[in-house]
Amino acid sequence: MQRIVCTRWGPPEDLVLVEEADPVPGEGQVLVEVAASGVNFVDALFVAGTYQIKVPPPFTPGSELAGTVTAVGPGVELIEVGDRVLSSLGLGAFATHAVVPALGVTRIPESLDLATAAALVQSYCTAWFALHRRTTVRPEETVLVLGAGGGVGLAAIDVARAQGARVIAAASTDEKLEAARAMGAAETIAYEREDLKVRARELSDGGVDVVIDPVGGPHTDPALRALGVFGRLVVIGFAAGSI
């Protein structure tokens, strides 16, 4: 097998590729031949040693994967060789093979391709939890999504639309805004060249109901000021760097 290894904390360019024997699943474990791995902002934080959970090197980064089960360990009954599965495993996804607890994998329906499945759990679970547990959204409300071209941002657009909300997407480039429109955003704001607060208020007839903010940094304050009466700001992350 091959796997990517972080030998010391630093930039992703310092990661190395190693080759070694395929692992063997133990009691209650399965071996997954990895077809695709999700790449998330948190993976870069782990590699840099700047995440709140600091993993000492060496380790293989990668928090989610999808692939096919090629072997099962003793005691595994519900998962079989040949099953297409996904897993959110925290670390170890950037490899051609991964040993995962059988209880930590989920079968993938035939209608879902492996690449999409690999990037599904972290972004969509984050967006769903934010819009169903940290706040709630009514069908007539307007949701402003920052960082709308990223994984969490695109998932937030999809989840908010599924709840019947109208979505305004804000991002840094035209390419990202195009992806947000393809996901179903009704309006877009290029916040590197437009006034986020002013445009959000204009597009929402006076103020948005919910802001989903995975970016932080200089965009949080104008987004907060774009809220209408009883508006809610949901802070998810700080991709801009400052907390």
Side-chain angles (χ1 to χ4, degrees), residues 8 10 25 35 52-54 102 119 131 157 197 199 213 216 219 228 237:
R8 63 180 185 272
Q52 53 260 48
I53 301 171
K54 297 187 185 299
L131 288 163
I157 294 170
K197 180 193 74 172
R199 285 296 291 145
D213 182 9
H219 304 303

Side-chain angles (χ1 to χ4, degrees), residues 119-211:
L120 177 69
V121 175
Q122 185 155 306
S123 293
Y124 269 84
C125 284
T126 299
W128 190 94
F129 186 82
L131 288 163
H132 284 80
R133 291 291 182 266
R134 285 295 169 253
T135 189
T136 55
V137 178
R138 294 185 295 273
E140 70 274 14
E141 291 189 311
T142 299
V143 177
L144 171 63
V145 177
L146 307 187
V152 172
L154 290 171
I157 294 170
D158 205 14
V159 173
R161 288 187 66 247
Q163 293 173 265
R166 176 173 173 268
V167 177
I168 301 171
S172 59
T173 68
D174 291 336
E175 182 181 11
K176 293 176 180 179
L177 293 175
E178 184 178 345
R181 281 190 289 268
M183 186 60 81
E187 304 284 355
T188 59
I189 301 171
Y191 51 42
E192 296 298 336
R193 61 177 185 267
E194 297 183 272
D195 188 310
L196 177 60
K197 180 193 74 172
V198 171
R199 285 296 291 145
R201 283 187 167 274
E202 290 174 348
L203 295 172
S204 60
D205 194 25
V208 301
D209 299 292
V210 176
V211 171

Side-chain angles (χ1 to χ4, degrees), residues 30 55 76 88 113 141 161 168 173 180 186 188 228 230:
V30 299
V55 180
V76 176
S88 182
D113 67 89
E141 291 189 311
R161 288 187 66 247
I168 301 171
T173 68
T188 59
F230 300 116

